[in-house]
Every structure is written in C-alpha cells, then in structure tokens.
Amino acid sequence: MGEIRAALDQSCEYLRDAYRCVREAGEALDEAVGLLVAASANHPESLVPPEFTKAGELFADELELIVGSIELVQRVAGEL
C-alpha cells in the first residue's frame, strides 16, 4: 500500500510540474503575441500567426485537464 501511495504522490508532483510548465509556456506565448501585435502596427498584415490564438486556447484546456487529473489522483490516494 505504501508503494501505491508513493507512486500517487509522485504522480501529483509530476502533474504539478506539468501545470507550471504549461502555465509558463502560455505566458511566454502571450508575451510573444504582444510583441508581434506591436510589430504588426508597422505592417499591412498582422504578424501574429492564427495558430497562436488556437495554441493559447489549448493551453487553457490543458491546464484544466491537469487540474482535473491532480484532483482525481488525490481522491484515489485519499480512498486508500
């Protein structure tokens, strides 16, 4: 039983690390978009690739999935 709890604790830690990485990646993308928007002011067309908008939405979805996974793992660990 102790090994299972340890594995679940480690899973939660990995998920928390993943959450931080995805959040930081999203923040970096937001910063890049901001810079591209500013640079676009001097160009006839936007320099922001449309995929960046979709990627920003996907980051939010991934964060929700990670949080749900953490909650599920914690619930399972609590039931042991």
mmCIF file with all atom_site columns, all heavy atoms in Angstrom, residues 6-35:
data_model
loop_
_atom_site.group_PDB
_atom_site.id
_atom_site.type_symbol
_atom_site.label_atom_id
_atom_site.label_alt_id
_atom_site.label_comp_id
_atom_site.label_asym_id
_atom_site.label_entity_id
_atom_site.label_seq_id
_atom_site.pdbx_PDB_ins_code
_atom_site.Cartn_x
_atom_site.Cartn_y
_atom_site.Cartn_z
_atom_site.occupancy
_atom_site.B_iso_or_equiv
_atom_site.pdbx_formal_charge
_atom_site.auth_seq_id
_atom_site.auth_comp_id
_atom_site.auth_asym_id
_atom_site.auth_atom_id
_atom_site.pdbx_PDB_model_num
ATOM 1   N N   . ALA A 1 6  ? 3.038  6.214  -2.580  1.00 0.00 ? 6  ALA A N   1
ATOM 2   C CA  . ALA A 1 6  ? 4.227  6.928  -3.049  1.00 0.00 ? 6  ALA A CA  1
ATOM 3   C C   . ALA A 1 6  ? 4.132  7.212  -4.546  1.00 0.00 ? 6  ALA A C   1
ATOM 4   O O   . ALA A 1 6  ? 4.487  8.307  -5.010  1.00 0.00 ? 6  ALA A O   1
ATOM 5   C CB  . ALA A 1 6  ? 5.485  6.117  -2.730  1.00 0.00 ? 6  ALA A CB  1
ATOM 6   N N   . ALA A 1 7  ? 3.659  6.238  -5.310  1.00 0.00 ? 7  ALA A N   1
ATOM 7   C CA  . ALA A 1 7  ? 3.501  6.423  -6.761  1.00 0.00 ? 7  ALA A CA  1
ATOM 8   C C   . ALA A 1 7  ? 2.460  7.500  -7.049  1.00 0.00 ? 7  ALA A C   1
ATOM 9   O O   . ALA A 1 7  ? 2.646  8.327  -7.956  1.00 0.00 ? 7  ALA A O   1
ATOM 10  C CB  . ALA A 1 7  ? 3.114  5.107  -7.417  1.00 0.00 ? 7  ALA A CB  1
ATOM 11  N N   . LEU A 1 8  ? 1.380  7.510  -6.293  1.00 0.00 ? 8  LEU A N   1
ATOM 12  C CA  . LEU A 1 8  ? 0.344  8.528  -6.488  1.00 0.00 ? 8  LEU A CA  1
ATOM 13  C C   . LEU A 1 8  ? 0.868  9.910  -6.108  1.00 0.00 ? 8  LEU A C   1
ATOM 14  O O   . LEU A 1 8  ? 0.594  10.901 -6.805  1.00 0.00 ? 8  LEU A O   1
ATOM 15  C CB  . LEU A 1 8  ? -0.909 8.179  -5.688  1.00 0.00 ? 8  LEU A CB  1
ATOM 16  C CG  . LEU A 1 8  ? -1.680 6.951  -6.184  1.00 0.00 ? 8  LEU A CG  1
ATOM 17  C CD1 . LEU A 1 8  ? -2.791 6.590  -5.197  1.00 0.00 ? 8  LEU A CD1 1
ATOM 18  C CD2 . LEU A 1 8  ? -2.250 7.192  -7.567  1.00 0.00 ? 8  LEU A CD2 1
ATOM 19  N N   . ASP A 1 9  ? 1.630  9.995  -5.019  1.00 0.00 ? 9  ASP A N   1
ATOM 20  C CA  . ASP A 1 9  ? 2.227  11.274 -4.623  1.00 0.00 ? 9  ASP A CA  1
ATOM 21  C C   . ASP A 1 9  ? 3.176  11.787 -5.704  1.00 0.00 ? 9  ASP A C   1
ATOM 22  O O   . ASP A 1 9  ? 3.175  12.968 -6.036  1.00 0.00 ? 9  ASP A O   1
ATOM 23  C CB  . ASP A 1 9  ? 2.971  11.140 -3.292  1.00 0.00 ? 9  ASP A CB  1
ATOM 24  C CG  . ASP A 1 9  ? 2.045  10.984 -2.100  1.00 0.00 ? 9  ASP A CG  1
ATOM 25  O OD1 . ASP A 1 9  ? 0.836  11.290 -2.232  1.00 0.00 ? 9  ASP A OD1 1
ATOM 26  O OD2 . ASP A 1 9  ? 2.537  10.561 -1.032  1.00 0.00 ? 9  ASP A OD2 1
ATOM 27  N N   . GLN A 1 10 ? 3.967  10.871 -6.251  1.00 0.00 ? 10 GLN A N   1
ATOM 28  C CA  . GLN A 1 10 ? 4.890  11.253 -7.304  1.00 0.00 ? 10 GLN A CA  1
ATOM 29  C C   . GLN A 1 10 ? 4.130  11.704 -8.554  1.00 0.00 ? 10 GLN A C   1
ATOM 30  O O   . GLN A 1 10 ? 4.507  12.673 -9.212  1.00 0.00 ? 10 GLN A O   1
ATOM 31  C CB  . GLN A 1 10 ? 5.840  10.105 -7.646  1.00 0.00 ? 10 GLN A CB  1
ATOM 32  C CG  . GLN A 1 10 ? 6.918  10.512 -8.618  1.00 0.00 ? 10 GLN A CG  1
ATOM 33  C CD  . GLN A 1 10 ? 7.933  9.409  -8.844  1.00 0.00 ? 10 GLN A CD  1
ATOM 34  O OE1 . GLN A 1 10 ? 7.602  8.232  -8.759  1.00 0.00 ? 10 GLN A OE1 1
ATOM 35  N NE2 . GLN A 1 10 ? 9.154  9.801  -9.138  1.00 0.00 ? 10 GLN A NE2 1
ATOM 36  N N   . SER A 1 11 ? 3.048  11.026 -8.855  1.00 0.00 ? 11 SER A N   1
ATOM 37  C CA  . SER A 1 11 ? 2.213  11.425 -9.999  1.00 0.00 ? 11 SER A CA  1
ATOM 38  C C   . SER A 1 11 ? 1.694  12.837 -9.815  1.00 0.00 ? 11 SER A C   1
ATOM 39  O O   . SER A 1 11 ? 1.714  13.643 -10.765 1.00 0.00 ? 11 SER A O   1
ATOM 40  C CB  . SER A 1 11 ? 1.042  10.458 -10.168 1.00 0.00 ? 11 SER A CB  1
ATOM 41  O OG  . SER A 1 11 ? 1.501  9.193  -10.526 1.00 0.00 ? 11 SER A OG  1
ATOM 42  N N   . CYS A 1 12 ? 1.239  13.148 -8.615  1.00 0.00 ? 12 CYS A N   1
ATOM 43  C CA  . CYS A 1 12 ? 0.746  14.507 -8.340  1.00 0.00 ? 12 CYS A CA  1
ATOM 44  C C   . CYS A 1 12 ? 1.856  15.532 -8.517  1.00 0.00 ? 12 CYS A C   1
ATOM 45  O O   . CYS A 1 12 ? 1.624  16.614 -9.067  1.00 0.00 ? 12 CYS A O   1
ATOM 46  C CB  . CYS A 1 12 ? 0.168  14.599 -6.935  1.00 0.00 ? 12 CYS A CB  1
ATOM 47  S SG  . CYS A 1 12 ? -1.530 14.027 -6.816  1.00 0.00 ? 12 CYS A SG  1
ATOM 48  N N   . GLU A 1 13 ? 3.041  15.188 -8.070  1.00 0.00 ? 13 GLU A N   1
ATOM 49  C CA  . GLU A 1 13 ? 4.165  16.115 -8.214  1.00 0.00 ? 13 GLU A CA  1
ATOM 50  C C   . GLU A 1 13 ? 4.492  16.343 -9.692  1.00 0.00 ? 13 GLU A C   1
ATOM 51  O O   . GLU A 1 13 ? 4.715  17.469 -10.118 1.00 0.00 ? 13 GLU A O   1
ATOM 52  C CB  . GLU A 1 13 ? 5.394  15.596 -7.467  1.00 0.00 ? 13 GLU A CB  1
ATOM 53  C CG  . GLU A 1 13 ? 6.476  16.630 -7.318  1.00 0.00 ? 13 GLU A CG  1
ATOM 54  C CD  . GLU A 1 13 ? 6.029  17.899 -6.621  1.00 0.00 ? 13 GLU A CD  1
ATOM 55  O OE1 . GLU A 1 13 ? 5.230  17.832 -5.660  1.00 0.00 ? 13 GLU A OE1 1
ATOM 56  O OE2 . GLU A 1 13 ? 6.466  18.990 -7.047  1.00 0.00 ? 13 GLU A OE2 1
ATOM 57  N N   . TYR A 1 14 ? 4.497  15.283 -10.480 1.00 0.00 ? 14 TYR A N   1
ATOM 58  C CA  . TYR A 1 14 ? 4.732  15.424 -11.917 1.00 0.00 ? 14 TYR A CA  1
ATOM 59  C C   . TYR A 1 14 ? 3.644  16.271 -12.573 1.00 0.00 ? 14 TYR A C   1
ATOM 60  O O   . TYR A 1 14 ? 3.914  17.096 -13.452 1.00 0.00 ? 14 TYR A O   1
ATOM 61  C CB  . TYR A 1 14 ? 4.797  14.066 -12.609 1.00 0.00 ? 14 TYR A CB  1
ATOM 62  C CG  . TYR A 1 14 ? 6.038  13.256 -12.316 1.00 0.00 ? 14 TYR A CG  1
ATOM 63  C CD1 . TYR A 1 14 ? 5.979  11.876 -12.277 1.00 0.00 ? 14 TYR A CD1 1
ATOM 64  C CD2 . TYR A 1 14 ? 7.278  13.858 -12.093 1.00 0.00 ? 14 TYR A CD2 1
ATOM 65  C CE1 . TYR A 1 14 ? 7.114  11.115 -12.009 1.00 0.00 ? 14 TYR A CE1 1
ATOM 66  C CE2 . TYR A 1 14 ? 8.403  13.111 -11.829 1.00 0.00 ? 14 TYR A CE2 1
ATOM 67  C CZ  . TYR A 1 14 ? 8.329  11.743 -11.793 1.00 0.00 ? 14 TYR A CZ  1
ATOM 68  O OH  . TYR A 1 14 ? 9.447  10.984 -11.537 1.00 0.00 ? 14 TYR A OH  1
ATOM 69  N N   . LEU A 1 15 ? 2.413  16.066 -12.154 1.00 0.00 ? 15 LEU A N   1
ATOM 70  C CA  . LEU A 1 15 ? 1.306  16.846 -12.707 1.00 0.00 ? 15 LEU A CA  1
ATOM 71  C C   . LEU A 1 15 ? 1.429  18.320 -12.324 1.00 0.00 ? 15 LEU A C   1
ATOM 72  O O   . LEU A 1 15 ? 1.156  19.203 -13.144 1.00 0.00 ? 15 LEU A O   1
ATOM 73  C CB  . LEU A 1 15 ? -0.036 16.271 -12.244 1.00 0.00 ? 15 LEU A CB  1
ATOM 74  C CG  . LEU A 1 15 ? -0.429 14.955 -12.905 1.00 0.00 ? 15 LEU A CG  1
ATOM 75  C CD1 . LEU A 1 15 ? -1.559 14.283 -12.127 1.00 0.00 ? 15 LEU A CD1 1
ATOM 76  C CD2 . LEU A 1 15 ? -0.834 15.183 -14.354 1.00 0.00 ? 15 LEU A CD2 1
ATOM 77  N N   . ARG A 1 16 ? 1.857  18.592 -11.096 1.00 0.00 ? 16 ARG A N   1
ATOM 78  C CA  . ARG A 1 16 ? 2.068  19.987 -10.682 1.00 0.00 ? 16 ARG A CA  1
ATOM 79  C C   . ARG A 1 16 ? 3.184  20.622 -11.509 1.00 0.00 ? 16 ARG A C   1
ATOM 80  O O   . ARG A 1 16 ? 3.085  21.788 -11.912 1.00 0.00 ? 16 ARG A O   1
ATOM 81  C CB  . ARG A 1 16 ? 2.382  20.057 -9.192  1.00 0.00 ? 16 ARG A CB  1
ATOM 82  C CG  . ARG A 1 16 ? 1.187  19.809 -8.312  1.00 0.00 ? 16 ARG A CG  1
ATOM 83  C CD  . ARG A 1 16 ? 1.523  20.027 -6.827  1.00 0.00 ? 16 ARG A CD  1
ATOM 84  N NE  . ARG A 1 16 ? 0.475  19.474 -6.013  1.00 0.00 ? 16 ARG A NE  1
ATOM 85  C CZ  . ARG A 1 16 ? 0.518  18.284 -5.400  1.00 0.00 ? 16 ARG A CZ  1
ATOM 86  N NH1 . ARG A 1 16 ? 1.585  17.520 -5.483  1.00 0.00 ? 16 ARG A NH1 1
ATOM 87  N NH2 . ARG A 1 16 ? -0.497 17.871 -4.684  1.00 0.00 ? 16 ARG A NH2 1
ATOM 88  N N   . ASP A 1 17 ? 4.253  19.854 -11.746 1.00 0.00 ? 17 ASP A N   1
ATOM 89  C CA  . ASP A 1 17 ? 5.336  20.362 -12.595 1.00 0.00 ? 17 ASP A CA  1
ATOM 90  C C   . ASP A 1 17 ? 4.828  20.644 -14.006 1.00 0.00 ? 17 ASP A C   1
ATOM 91  O O   . ASP A 1 17 ? 5.168  21.674 -14.600 1.00 0.00 ? 17 ASP A O   1
ATOM 92  C CB  . ASP A 1 17 ? 6.485  19.351 -12.667 1.00 0.00 ? 17 ASP A CB  1
ATOM 93  C CG  . ASP A 1 17 ? 7.273  19.242 -11.366 1.00 0.00 ? 17 ASP A CG  1
ATOM 94  O OD1 . ASP A 1 17 ? 7.148  20.131 -10.492 1.00 0.00 ? 17 ASP A OD1 1
ATOM 95  O OD2 . ASP A 1 17 ? 8.009  18.243 -11.219 1.00 0.00 ? 17 ASP A OD2 1
ATOM 96  N N   . ALA A 1 18 ? 4.021  19.746 -14.529 1.00 0.00 ? 18 ALA A N   1
ATOM 97  C CA  . ALA A 1 18 ? 3.448  19.934 -15.867 1.00 0.00 ? 18 ALA A CA  1
ATOM 98  C C   . ALA A 1 18 ? 2.582  21.185 -15.898 1.00 0.00 ? 18 ALA A C   1
ATOM 99  O O   . ALA A 1 18 ? 2.623  21.963 -16.859 1.00 0.00 ? 18 ALA A O   1
ATOM 100 C CB  . ALA A 1 18 ? 2.639  18.710 -16.281 1.00 0.00 ? 18 ALA A CB  1
ATOM 101 N N   . TYR A 1 19 ? 1.800  21.395 -14.849 1.00 0.00 ? 19 TYR A N   1
ATOM 102 C CA  . TYR A 1 19 ? 0.944  22.577 -14.764 1.00 0.00 ? 19 TYR A CA  1
ATOM 103 C C   . TYR A 1 19 ? 1.799  23.847 -14.844 1.00 0.00 ? 19 TYR A C   1
ATOM 104 O O   . TYR A 1 19 ? 1.500  24.762 -15.606 1.00 0.00 ? 19 TYR A O   1
ATOM 105 C CB  . TYR A 1 19 ? 0.132  22.556 -13.471 1.00 0.00 ? 19 TYR A CB  1
ATOM 106 C CG  . TYR A 1 19 ? -0.827 23.707 -13.358 1.00 0.00 ? 19 TYR A CG  1
ATOM 107 C CD1 . TYR A 1 19 ? -2.135 23.595 -13.802 1.00 0.00 ? 19 TYR A CD1 1
ATOM 108 C CD2 . TYR A 1 19 ? -0.426 24.926 -12.815 1.00 0.00 ? 19 TYR A CD2 1
ATOM 109 C CE1 . TYR A 1 19 ? -3.016 24.654 -13.706 1.00 0.00 ? 19 TYR A CE1 1
ATOM 110 C CE2 . TYR A 1 19 ? -1.295 25.991 -12.723 1.00 0.00 ? 19 TYR A CE2 1
ATOM 111 C CZ  . TYR A 1 19 ? -2.592 25.852 -13.165 1.00 0.00 ? 19 TYR A CZ  1
ATOM 112 O OH  . TYR A 1 19 ? -3.452 26.912 -13.087 1.00 0.00 ? 19 TYR A OH  1
ATOM 113 N N   . ARG A 1 20 ? 2.875  23.875 -14.052 1.00 0.00 ? 20 ARG A N   1
ATOM 114 C CA  . ARG A 1 20 ? 3.752  25.053 -14.058 1.00 0.00 ? 20 ARG A CA  1
ATOM 115 C C   . ARG A 1 20 ? 4.356  25.277 -15.448 1.00 0.00 ? 20 ARG A C   1
ATOM 116 O O   . ARG A 1 20 ? 4.416  26.414 -15.932 1.00 0.00 ? 20 ARG A O   1
ATOM 117 C CB  . ARG A 1 20 ? 4.863  24.898 -13.016 1.00 0.00 ? 20 ARG A CB  1
ATOM 118 C CG  . ARG A 1 20 ? 4.396  25.159 -11.584 1.00 0.00 ? 20 ARG A CG  1
ATOM 119 C CD  . ARG A 1 20 ? 5.572  25.186 -10.606 1.00 0.00 ? 20 ARG A CD  1
ATOM 120 N NE  . ARG A 1 20 ? 6.124  23.853 -10.365 1.00 0.00 ? 20 ARG A NE  1
ATOM 121 C CZ  . ARG A 1 20 ? 5.658  22.990 -9.471  1.00 0.00 ? 20 ARG A CZ  1
ATOM 122 N NH1 . ARG A 1 20 ? 4.606  23.306 -8.735  1.00 0.00 ? 20 ARG A NH1 1
ATOM 123 N NH2 . ARG A 1 20 ? 6.229  21.818 -9.313  1.00 0.00 ? 20 ARG A NH2 1
ATOM 124 N N   . CYS A 1 21 ? 4.790  24.209 -16.083 1.00 0.00 ? 21 CYS A N   1
ATOM 125 C CA  . CYS A 1 21 ? 5.388  24.328 -17.418 1.00 0.00 ? 21 CYS A CA  1
ATOM 126 C C   . CYS A 1 21 ? 4.389  24.840 -18.444 1.00 0.00 ? 21 CYS A C   1
ATOM 127 O O   . CYS A 1 21 ? 4.712  25.720 -19.249 1.00 0.00 ? 21 CYS A O   1
ATOM 128 C CB  . CYS A 1 21 ? 5.953  22.983 -17.859 1.00 0.00 ? 21 CYS A CB  1
ATOM 129 S SG  . CYS A 1 21 ? 7.450  22.486 -16.978 1.00 0.00 ? 21 CYS A SG  1
ATOM 130 N N   . VAL A 1 22 ? 3.193  24.304 -18.421 1.00 0.00 ? 22 VAL A N   1
ATOM 131 C CA  . VAL A 1 22 ? 2.165  24.747 -19.372 1.00 0.00 ? 22 VAL A CA  1
ATOM 132 C C   . VAL A 1 22 ? 1.792  26.200 -19.106 1.00 0.00 ? 22 VAL A C   1
ATOM 133 O O   . VAL A 1 22 ? 1.655  27.001 -20.043 1.00 0.00 ? 22 VAL A O   1
ATOM 134 C CB  . VAL A 1 22 ? 0.919  23.825 -19.317 1.00 0.00 ? 22 VAL A CB  1
ATOM 135 C CG1 . VAL A 1 22 ? -0.231 24.404 -20.131 1.00 0.00 ? 22 VAL A CG1 1
ATOM 136 C CG2 . VAL A 1 22 ? 1.271  22.429 -19.811 1.00 0.00 ? 22 VAL A CG2 1
ATOM 137 N N   . ARG A 1 23 ? 1.670  26.561 -17.833 1.00 0.00 ? 23 ARG A N   1
ATOM 138 C CA  . ARG A 1 23 ? 1.340  27.950 -17.493 1.00 0.00 ? 23 ARG A CA  1
ATOM 139 C C   . ARG A 1 23 ? 2.446  28.886 -17.978 1.00 0.00 ? 23 ARG A C   1
ATOM 140 O O   . ARG A 1 23 ? 2.171  29.929 -18.581 1.00 0.00 ? 23 ARG A O   1
ATOM 141 C CB  . ARG A 1 23 ? 1.126  28.097 -15.988 1.00 0.00 ? 23 ARG A CB  1
ATOM 142 C CG  . ARG A 1 23 ? 0.566  29.473 -15.610 1.00 0.00 ? 23 ARG A CG  1
ATOM 143 C CD  . ARG A 1 23 ? 0.465  29.675 -14.122 1.00 0.00 ? 23 ARG A CD  1
ATOM 144 N NE  . ARG A 1 23 ? 1.826  29.699 -13.583 1.00 0.00 ? 23 ARG A NE  1
ATOM 145 C CZ  . ARG A 1 23 ? 2.215  29.042 -12.502 1.00 0.00 ? 23 ARG A CZ  1
ATOM 146 N NH1 . ARG A 1 23 ? 1.379  28.302 -11.835 1.00 0.00 ? 23 ARG A NH1 1
ATOM 147 N NH2 . ARG A 1 23 ? 3.456  29.121 -12.075 1.00 0.00 ? 23 ARG A NH2 1
ATOM 148 N N   . GLU A 1 24 ? 3.712  28.518 -17.737 1.00 0.00 ? 24 GLU A N   1
ATOM 149 C CA  . GLU A 1 24 ? 4.831  29.351 -18.189 1.00 0.00 ? 24 GLU A CA  1
ATOM 150 C C   . GLU A 1 24 ? 4.885  29.440 -19.711 1.00 0.00 ? 24 GLU A C   1
ATOM 151 O O   . GLU A 1 24 ? 5.171  30.509 -20.261 1.00 0.00 ? 24 GLU A O   1
ATOM 152 C CB  . GLU A 1 24 ? 6.143  28.801 -17.639 1.00 0.00 ? 24 GLU A CB  1
ATOM 153 C CG  . GLU A 1 24 ? 6.290  29.007 -16.149 1.00 0.00 ? 24 GLU A CG  1
ATOM 154 C CD  . GLU A 1 24 ? 7.507  28.296 -15.568 1.00 0.00 ? 24 GLU A CD  1
ATOM 155 O OE1 . GLU A 1 24 ? 8.353  27.792 -16.344 1.00 0.00 ? 24 GLU A OE1 1
ATOM 156 O OE2 . GLU A 1 24 ? 7.604  28.252 -14.331 1.00 0.00 ? 24 GLU A OE2 1
ATOM 157 N N   . ALA A 1 25 ? 4.606  28.348 -20.389 1.00 0.00 ? 25 ALA A N   1
ATOM 158 C CA  . ALA A 1 25 ? 4.585  28.360 -21.853 1.00 0.00 ? 25 ALA A CA  1
ATOM 159 C C   . ALA A 1 25 ? 3.476  29.280 -22.360 1.00 0.00 ? 25 ALA A C   1
ATOM 160 O O   . ALA A 1 25 ? 3.664  30.035 -23.325 1.00 0.00 ? 25 ALA A O   1
ATOM 161 C CB  . ALA A 1 25 ? 4.401  26.946 -22.399 1.00 0.00 ? 25 ALA A CB  1
ATOM 162 N N   . GLY A 1 26 ? 2.335  29.237 -21.703 1.00 0.00 ? 26 GLY A N   1
ATOM 163 C CA  . GLY A 1 26 ? 1.231  30.118 -22.079 1.00 0.00 ? 26 GLY A CA  1
ATOM 164 C C   . GLY A 1 26 ? 1.583  31.579 -21.878 1.00 0.00 ? 26 GLY A C   1
ATOM 165 O O   . GLY A 1 26 ? 1.265  32.437 -22.722 1.00 0.00 ? 26 GLY A O   1
ATOM 166 N N   . GLU A 1 27 ? 2.258  31.870 -20.775 1.00 0.00 ? 27 GLU A N   1
ATOM 167 C CA  . GLU A 1 27 ? 2.677  33.245 -20.514 1.00 0.00 ? 27 GLU A CA  1
ATOM 168 C C   . GLU A 1 27 ? 3.692  33.711 -21.557 1.00 0.00 ? 27 GLU A C   1
ATOM 169 O O   . GLU A 1 27 ? 3.634  34.857 -22.021 1.00 0.00 ? 27 GLU A O   1
ATOM 170 C CB  . GLU A 1 27 ? 3.258  33.360 -19.102 1.00 0.00 ? 27 GLU A CB  1
ATOM 171 C CG  . GLU A 1 27 ? 2.216  33.196 -18.016 1.00 0.00 ? 27 GLU A CG  1
ATOM 172 C CD  . GLU A 1 27 ? 2.810  33.033 -16.621 1.00 0.00 ? 27 GLU A CD  1
ATOM 173 O OE1 . GLU A 1 27 ? 4.061  32.988 -16.486 1.00 0.00 ? 27 GLU A OE1 1
ATOM 174 O OE2 . GLU A 1 27 ? 2.018  32.937 -15.660 1.00 0.00 ? 27 GLU A OE2 1
ATOM 175 N N   . ALA A 1 28 ? 4.617  32.821 -21.927 1.00 0.00 ? 28 ALA A N   1
ATOM 176 C CA  . ALA A 1 28 ? 5.608  33.166 -22.952 1.00 0.00 ? 28 ALA A CA  1
ATOM 177 C C   . ALA A 1 28 ? 4.935  33.405 -24.301 1.00 0.00 ? 28 ALA A C   1
ATOM 178 O O   . ALA A 1 28 ? 5.302  34.335 -25.040 1.00 0.00 ? 28 ALA A O   1
ATOM 179 C CB  . ALA A 1 28 ? 6.656  32.063 -23.064 1.00 0.00 ? 28 ALA A CB  1
ATOM 180 N N   . LEU A 1 29 ? 3.940  32.588 -24.615 1.00 0.00 ? 29 LEU A N   1
ATOM 181 C CA  . LEU A 1 29 ? 3.207  32.778 -25.866 1.00 0.00 ? 29 LEU A CA  1
ATOM 182 C C   . LEU A 1 29 ? 2.466  34.113 -25.845 1.00 0.00 ? 29 LEU A C   1
ATOM 183 O O   . LEU A 1 29 ? 2.481  34.854 -26.836 1.00 0.00 ? 29 LEU A O   1
ATOM 184 C CB  . LEU A 1 29 ? 2.221  31.634 -26.099 1.00 0.00 ? 29 LEU A CB  1
ATOM 185 C CG  . LEU A 1 29 ? 1.376  31.739 -27.362 1.00 0.00 ? 29 LEU A CG  1
ATOM 186 C CD1 . LEU A 1 29 ? 2.258  31.666 -28.616 1.00 0.00 ? 29 LEU A CD1 1
ATOM 187 C CD2 . LEU A 1 29 ? 0.323  30.650 -27.395 1.00 0.00 ? 29 LEU A CD2 1
ATOM 188 N N   . ASP A 1 30 ? 1.842  34.437 -24.733 1.00 0.00 ? 30 ASP A N   1
ATOM 189 C CA  . ASP A 1 30 ? 1.146  35.728 -24.610 1.00 0.00 ? 30 ASP A CA  1
ATOM 190 C C   . ASP A 1 30 ? 2.111  36.889 -24.822 1.00 0.00 ? 30 ASP A C   1
ATOM 191 O O   . ASP A 1 30 ? 1.777  37.875 -25.491 1.00 0.00 ? 30 ASP A O   1
ATOM 192 C CB  . ASP A 1 30 ? 0.479  35.855 -23.242 1.00 0.00 ? 30 ASP A CB  1
ATOM 193 C CG  . ASP A 1 30 ? -0.722 34.954 -23.074 1.00 0.00 ? 30 ASP A CG  1
ATOM 194 O OD1 . ASP A 1 30 ? -1.240 34.431 -24.083 1.00 0.00 ? 30 ASP A OD1 1
ATOM 195 O OD2 . ASP A 1 30 ? -1.146 34.753 -21.906 1.00 0.00 ? 30 ASP A OD2 1
ATOM 196 N N   . GLU A 1 31 ? 3.304  36.762 -24.262 1.00 0.00 ? 31 GLU A N   1
ATOM 197 C CA  . GLU A 1 31 ? 4.304  37.814 -24.426 1.00 0.00 ? 31 GLU A CA  1
ATOM 198 C C   . GLU A 1 31 ? 4.714  37.929 -25.893 1.00 0.00 ? 31 GLU A C   1
ATOM 199 O O   . GLU A 1 31 ? 4.819  39.041 -26.437 1.00 0.00 ? 31 GLU A O   1
ATOM 200 C CB  . GLU A 1 31 ? 5.528  37.516 -23.561 1.00 0.00 ? 31 GLU A CB  1
ATOM 201 C CG  . GLU A 1 31 ? 6.580  38.596 -23.617 1.00 0.00 ? 31 GLU A CG  1
ATOM 202 C CD  . GLU A 1 31 ? 7.762  38.301 -22.713 1.00 0.00 ? 31 GLU A CD  1
ATOM 203 O OE1 . GLU A 1 31 ? 7.633  37.497 -21.772 1.00 0.00 ? 31 GLU A OE1 1
ATOM 204 O OE2 . GLU A 1 31 ? 8.843  38.874 -22.977 1.00 0.00 ? 31 GLU A OE2 1
ATOM 205 N N   . ALA A 1 32 ? 4.934  36.799 -26.548 1.00 0.00 ? 32 ALA A N   1
ATOM 206 C CA  . ALA A 1 32 ? 5.304  36.804 -27.960 1.00 0.00 ? 32 ALA A CA  1
ATOM 207 C C   . ALA A 1 32 ? 4.203  37.429 -28.808 1.00 0.00 ? 32 ALA A C   1
ATOM 208 O O   . ALA A 1 32 ? 4.482  38.224 -29.715 1.00 0.00 ? 32 ALA A O   1
ATOM 209 C CB  . ALA A 1 32 ? 5.605  35.384 -28.434 1.00 0.00 ? 32 ALA A CB  1
ATOM 210 N N   . VAL A 1 33 ? 2.963  37.075 -28.506 1.00 0.00 ? 33 VAL A N   1
ATOM 211 C CA  . VAL A 1 33 ? 1.835  37.653 -29.254 1.00 0.00 ? 33 VAL A CA  1
ATOM 212 C C   . VAL A 1 33 ? 1.805  39.165 -29.060 1.00 0.00 ? 33 VAL A C   1
ATOM 213 O O   . VAL A 1 33 ? 1.609  39.919 -30.024 1.00 0.00 ? 33 VAL A O   1
ATOM 214 C CB  . VAL A 1 33 ? 0.501  36.999 -28.839 1.00 0.00 ? 33 VAL A CB  1
ATOM 215 C CG1 . VAL A 1 33 ? -0.687 37.787 -29.369 1.00 0.00 ? 33 VAL A CG1 1
ATOM 216 C CG2 . VAL A 1 33 ? 0.444  35.556 -29.328 1.00 0.00 ? 33 VAL A CG2 1
ATOM 217 N N   . GLY A 1 34 ? 2.018  39.610 -27.842 1.00 0.00 ? 34 GLY A N   1
ATOM 218 C CA  . GLY A 1 34 ? 2.050  41.051 -27.584 1.00 0.00 ? 34 GLY A CA  1
ATOM 219 C C   . GLY A 1 34 ? 3.112  41.760 -28.398 1.00 0.00 ? 34 GLY A C   1
ATOM 220 O O   . GLY A 1 34 ? 2.871  42.839 -28.967 1.00 0.00 ? 34 GLY A O   1
ATOM 221 N N   . LEU A 1 35 ? 4.293  41.158 -28.469 1.00 0.00 ? 35 LEU A N   1
ATOM 222 C CA  . LEU A 1 35 ? 5.367  41.755 -29.260 1.00 0.00 ? 35 LEU A CA  1
ATOM 223 C C   . LEU A 1 35 ? 5.027  41.753 -30.747 1.00 0.00 ? 35 LEU A C   1
ATOM 224 O O   . LEU A 1 35 ? 5.294  42.730 -31.460 1.00 0.00 ? 35 LEU A O   1
ATOM 225 C CB  . LEU A 1 35 ? 6.669  40.985 -29.019 1.00 0.00 ? 35 LEU A CB  1
ATOM 226 C CG  . LEU A 1 35 ? 7.257  41.111 -27.611 1.00 0.00 ? 35 LEU A CG  1
ATOM 227 C CD1 . LEU A 1 35 ? 8.402  40.124 -27.425 1.00 0.00 ? 35 LEU A CD1 1
ATOM 228 C CD2 . LEU A 1 35 ? 7.711  42.535 -27.344 1.00 0.00 ? 35 LEU A CD2 1
#
